[in-house]
Amino acid sequence: MKSNDLILQTSTRVVFFIIFLFSIHIFFAGHYTPGGGFVGGLLMASAIVLLLLAYDFKTVKEVLPFNYLGMTAIGMLIALTTAAGSLVFNVPFFTHWYDYFDFPLLGKTSIHTAMFFDIGVYLVVVGITLTIIEMIGGDS
Amino acid sequence: MTMFLWICVGILSFSLVGFLYRLMKGPSTPDRVIALDSIGVGLITLVGLFSILFDSPFFLEVILLLAIIAYIGTVAFSKFTEKGVIIENDRDTHK
């Protein structure tokens, strides 16, 4: 019997982008309100898990052709580079820095190096969660 | 107003007790899954009421988060009860 998941797949197409945008929001809001890299990464992972539930490993691998272990490594590298970059300017390890910049679309925005550390945390959380799920779920 | 909100919290707590009774007593697995989903919705309403009571907007993200997690959990449980496998490898070649 071929199962028919039309309602699940159609609702997933909408709900995935809602969860994705909420994950981005909670990631960027982490500096002033609750949230941050960890919760944002877990939400992104749960959005991809919802895709995996509605479709299957092969389809999701075609849609999102990421190597999740490589994503974990890149996240670790970004976090460590942000931490070690302060040594170049002759300040202690993990010293952060911020300044205000004028961007063409966003206007005056403050860039804090803690955000790059958080991007590393985000990538590590997404990569590790999906690596675990692929290892457990994807036995061929 | 505060009295009214506390009465709402009491009624919701009673409904959560009812859902817990269904969760423990439920004869079949789908009864328990629906009870868990309803407990998720009850927790969402409780968090909303408490965010009014504590006069803080910082709990509102918890509401959306709980809704998403409850949805994904319910979908995973129902797929497990229907097919016996939660995440398929390849849908087209799967029997």
Side-chain angles (χ1 to χ4, degrees):
Chain A
M1 191 191 89
K2 192 152 172 58
S3 61
N4 190 354
D5 291 349
L6 185 66
I7 296 176
L8 177 61
Q9 290 182 349
T10 312
S11 62
T12 297
R13 278 175 210 170
V14 181
V15 170
F16 172 76
F17 289 103
I18 296 174
I19 306 178
F20 179 70
L21 287 178
F22 183 51
S23 142
I24 300 290
H25 162 77
I26 220 168
F27 170 73
F28 280 113
H31 202 79
Y32 294 111
T33 53
F38 187 77
V39 188
L42 277 183
L43 261 180
M44 187 64 226
S46 62
I48 299 176
V49 165
L50 184 62
L51 276 187
L52 284 171
L53 284 171
Y55 298 95
D56 49 62
F57 271 115
K58 204 176 141 222
T59 316
V60 175
K61 201 78 192 168
E62 276 173 20
V63 175
L64 303 166
F66 296 132
N67 176 10
Y68 293 114
L69 267 181
M71 187 188 272
T72 312
I74 290 172
M76 275 311 254
L77 201 67
I78 291 174
L80 275 179
T81 318
T82 316
S86 57
L87 291 176
V88 177
F89 302 102
N90 211 13
V91 283
F93 191 59
F94 255 117
T95 308
H96 284 294
W97 172 85
Y98 72 96
D99 203 355
Y100 293 94
F101 295 97
D102 274 323
F103 286 113
L105 212 61
L106 299 168
K108 190 182 173 198
T109 315
S110 73
I111 292 283
H112 199 289
T113 48
M115 197 188 77
F116 298 108
F117 183 75
D118 233 16
I119 287 175
V121 173
Y122 186 97
L123 289 178
V124 166
V125 170
V126 174
I128 282 291
T129 313
L130 287 165
T131 307
I132 291 170
I133 287 168
E134 270 189 351
M135 292 286 157
I136 293 175
D139 49 352
S140 52
Chain B
M1 188 65 186
T2 317
M3 198 59 219
F4 175 72
L5 289 172
W6 278 113
I7 290 170
C8 291
V9 169
I11 293 172
L12 273 166
S13 311
F14 270 117
S15 78
L16 281 184
V17 171
F19 291 141
L20 276 176
Y21 172 75
R22 179 48 66 197
L23 186 67
M24 287 185 291
K25 198 83 177 175
S28 65
T29 314
D31 287 329
R32 296 196 164 100
V33 172
I34 292 176
L36 267 178
D37 198 40
S38 314
I39 284 174
V41 176
L43 283 178
I44 288 167
T45 47
L46 269 183
V47 171
L49 283 177
F50 275 113
S51 84
I52 301 174
L53 275 169
F54 296 152
D55 200 13
S56 144
F58 293 124
F59 295 124
L60 298 182
E61 277 149 355
V62 178
I63 293 178
L64 200 48
L65 208 65
L66 264 176
I68 291 167
I69 300 299
Y71 175 67
I72 292 174
T74 310
V75 168
F77 259 124
S78 42
K79 197 167 173 192
F80 180 69
T81 47
E82 193 201 335
K83 292 189 175 171
V85 59
I86 294 180
I87 301 173
E88 290 154 290
N89 262 317
D90 191 357
R91 186 170 284 261
D92 299 327
T93 61
H94 192 263
K95 280 171 201 143

